[in-house]
Each structure stands twice: as C-alpha cells, then as structure tokens.
C-alpha cells in the first residue's frame, strides 16, 4: 500500500497575458480565452531551468511535509523539455536537493508523465520508502520556437510540481491506477529535436475526449465505483473545453473538476501536480472521499489514478 | 445525395449547430462545420445512428473530413 504524502509546486513570477501573447501571434485575447479557457500563463526567465524549477517545487513539497532530503529513497523526474539529451534533470535535481546517491530517473513522457511517474512510485515506495516525483516543464521555449502557430503557442506555460509517495500513511491512499499507450498516433503530438512542436489538435482532442473518460470508468468499475462516487477530479490542464467535455462524458458536474488552467495555461506534465497541490491546499477532501487524477498526452499515453482521503 | 449521405448531413448539422448544407466533398473542417471539439460528438453520433463501433485505430480526423469520406468509411464497415 502506498500513499500520497504531500504535494508542492513552484511557478515563475512573470505573468504573460493573452493580450501579450496574442500580439505576438496575431490573434485576439478573447479568441485564446474562448478556445482554451486560458487567461494568462507564467514564463520562466532565461536563468530558470527545468532543474531549478523542479528543485524549487521539490523543496516546497519537502518543507511543507517536514521532510529532509535524506528521507527520500528514489527520485523520478517527468519532463518533456529537458535542456539536454542526457543526463536528464533527475540527477541534477537530486544533487541540488542533497539526496545522497539515490536512484534518480527521467521520464520524457510530456503531458501524461506525472501520472506515469506516480504509477511507478506507487509500486516503488514499498521498496524504497519515500519516492519523490517531480514534474517540471519549460514549455515557453517550445511555444516561442519559430515558426510559431497561434493555436499551439498560446497554450503553454512554465512551472513545476512535486509530491512524495510513501509507504507510510499520508493524506491520500493510492487505491489503484491505470496507464496505457498507443504509438499509432505518436506523430500527432511530438517534439522533434531542433524543430517546433508538431500537434494535430483534432486528433489529440478526438482521442483524449474518448480515452480519458474510458480510463476513468474502467478504473472505477474495477474498484466497484462509478464517476458520481468521486468527489474530486484533478485532470491534466490541457484545455478547459476538453476538461468540460470529459466531465460531460462522465456525467459529473464540472464543479468537481479542479481547474487552474485559466491562470497557468498548459504546463504539460507539471500541470497535474501543480493542480493537485493547489487542490490539496484549497479544498482538501474529507476522510473517506475519493479523488481521481487523470491525464492524456503525447504518445499517445494516458491514464487515471484512484485515491482515497485517509 | 444518397439516403446515407443525407443522414450523415443531419448529424453534421446537429453537432455543428449550422443550418447550411455542405457539399458532399467539401471539407467539414475547412468550411467551419467541424472543429476539434465537435468531431468527437460527430463520431459518437455516427456510432449510435449507424450502430457501429469505431475503434480507436480508425480515429483519424481525415476519415471524417467530408460527407463523402464519412460515407466511404461507413461503407467499409459493412
């Protein structure tokens, strides 16, 4: 049995409004809001990296949990925007935190990465004690790569989230999880080396709007639950219209879906943990209540995780 | 327009909330009848009205880009 012990996050200070990015892309601020639900996003400055943001999020998480770096037995870093091919951010984050010679691995999975990491951490925690999951993304570098495309570039923001998965009791028990992939559509959402992001938005939305509800319903069904039994959903903050569509498919009030995409945009894999961190701080679930985390992204990879408040 | 094309057209109008009639070979995306969020609704309507299960492996937007293409896809499903 594993538990989500604590969640933290970090965001750059610089706020980029729809007016600012719209002027750059040649589109209206209201159009961005209408097609995405995004009002603003955060951009890291030149000195801020996936490593520095990941370290800041991890420190926030560890400090609020009252944990020192030597309490961590394993580190998993999710990032699709690492600064180099290898080594990835994981070892640098572990070193910066002062985690002494623990295993530290990278998952370059992009948007679904945090949940894939949580799925692994759930199984690693009984062996390693506490697993630190970090998801950190500098998507502004992707968004601002020429040639920019308005429907893609306006979406993204920077940030990082982190959480500790422990074999010791924490605030949320990880009950079950389900992850999947389908490489048939790998080219429909891809970031090639030294090229702009390639995104077939129609394909992404078509698959996401069918696979996410199915992943949630399958996970709940095998645990004897239905979507209405879940008090809170935390979904990858890809697009507010997609989140609304998933809520409709599940026949769940949109109010049960925590959202912060209006303020931060799509921060790829970081978005799940940033949202989970804010959700835990602003509206923590009562004991016994169920929550579902769910994601979809490049690959395609997708999944869901069922949690129960302790 | 065939009877099958006419039913597809009604479904396109339903999800697009448009009353105009696209020609059978007109791109539904380029002409504004479909966008990313209307396409999943159209696929769900096609599954229900034509009693077919469209597998994930067939979920390529190009297959649903015109009434003719949709008809050809459905014809291939038997």
């Amino acid at each position: 049995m594993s538990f989500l012990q604590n969640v933290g996050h970090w965001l750059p200070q610089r706020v980029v409004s729809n007016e600012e990015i719209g002027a750059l892309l040649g589109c209206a601020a209201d159009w961005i809001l209408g097609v995405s639900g995004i009002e603003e996003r955060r951009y890291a400055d030149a000195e801020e990296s996936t490593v520095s943001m990941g370290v800041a999020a991890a420190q926030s998480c560890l400090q609020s949990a009252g944990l020192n770096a030597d309490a961590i037995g394993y580190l998993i870093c999710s990032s699709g925007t690492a600064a180099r091919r290898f080594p990835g951010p994981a070892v640098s984050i572990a070193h910066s935190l002062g985690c002494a010679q623990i295993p530290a691995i990278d998952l370059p999975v992009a948007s679904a990465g945090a949940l894939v990491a949580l799925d692994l951490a759930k199984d690693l925690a009984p062996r390693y004690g506490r697993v630190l999951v970090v998801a950190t993304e500098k998507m502004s570098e992707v968004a601002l790569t020429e040639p920019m495309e308005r429907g893609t570039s306006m979406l993204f923001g920077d940030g990082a989230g982190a959480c500790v998965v422990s074999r010791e009791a924490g605030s949320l028990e990880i009950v079950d999880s389900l992850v999947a992939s389908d490489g048939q559509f790998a080219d429909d959402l891809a970031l090639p080396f030294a090229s702009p992001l390639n995104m077939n938005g129609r394909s992404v939305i078509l698959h996401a709007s069918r696979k996410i509800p199915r992943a949630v319903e399958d996970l709940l069904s095998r645990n004897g639950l239905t979507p209405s039994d879940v008090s809170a959903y935390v979904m990858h903050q890809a697009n507010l219209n997609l989140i609304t569509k998933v809520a409709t498919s599940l026949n769940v009030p949109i109010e049960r879906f925590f959202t912060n995409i209006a303020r931060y945009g799509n921060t790829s894999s970081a978005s799940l943990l940033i949202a989970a961190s804010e959700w835990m701080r602003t509206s923590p679930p009562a004991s016994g209540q169920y929550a579902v985390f769910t994601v979809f992204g490049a690959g395609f990879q997708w999944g869901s995780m069922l949690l129960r408040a302790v | 327009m065939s009877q099958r094309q006419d039913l597809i057209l009604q479904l396109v109008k339903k999800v697009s909330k448009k009353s105009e009639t696209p020609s059978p070979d007109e791109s539904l995306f380029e002409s504004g009848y479909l966008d990313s969020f209307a396409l999943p609704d159209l696929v769900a309507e096609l599954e229900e009205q034509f009693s077919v299960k469209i597998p994930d492996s067939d979920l390529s937007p190009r297959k649903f880009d015109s009434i003719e293409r949709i008809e050809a896809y459905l014809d291939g499903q038997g």
Side-chain angles (χ1 to χ4, degrees), chain A residues 35 182 184-185 188 200-203 205-207 209-211 214 239 241-243 245 302, chain B residues 29-30 35-41 43-44 47 53-54 56-61 64-65:
Chain A
V35 298
D182 184 353
Q184 179 184 348
F185 303 96
D188 283 355
N200 180 340
R202 292 167 189 157
S203 178
I205 297 299
L206 178 58
H207 283 268
S209 64
R210 290 168 67 97
K211 289 181 166 73
R214 197 185 308 151
N239 185 308
N241 297 325
L242 177 61
I243 295 171
K245 202 164 196 60
W302 66 96
Chain B
F29 293 113
E30 300 306 320
D35 62 17
S36 297
F37 290 94
L39 177 58
D41 295 338
V43 171
E47 287 184 312
K53 173 65 183 161
I54 299 176
D56 283 6
S57 57
D58 285 350
L59 290 178
S60 170
F64 308 97
D65 189 28

Side-chain angles (χ1 to χ4, degrees), chain A residues 41-93:
Chain A
R41 70 286 291 144
R42 303 290 182 93
Y43 278 5
D45 64 29
E47 288 72 39
E48 291 169 325
S49 65
T50 51
V51 171
S52 69
M53 291 190 291
V55 169
Q59 287 173 331
S60 169
C61 175
L62 293 174
Q63 284 169 7
S64 60
L67 294 171
N68 295 319
D70 59 9
I72 301 302
Y74 204 109
L75 188 149
I76 307 173
C77 178
S78 167
S79 182
T81 50
R84 57 193 178 197
R85 292 192 191 202
F86 65 83
V91 291
S92 298
I93 292 171

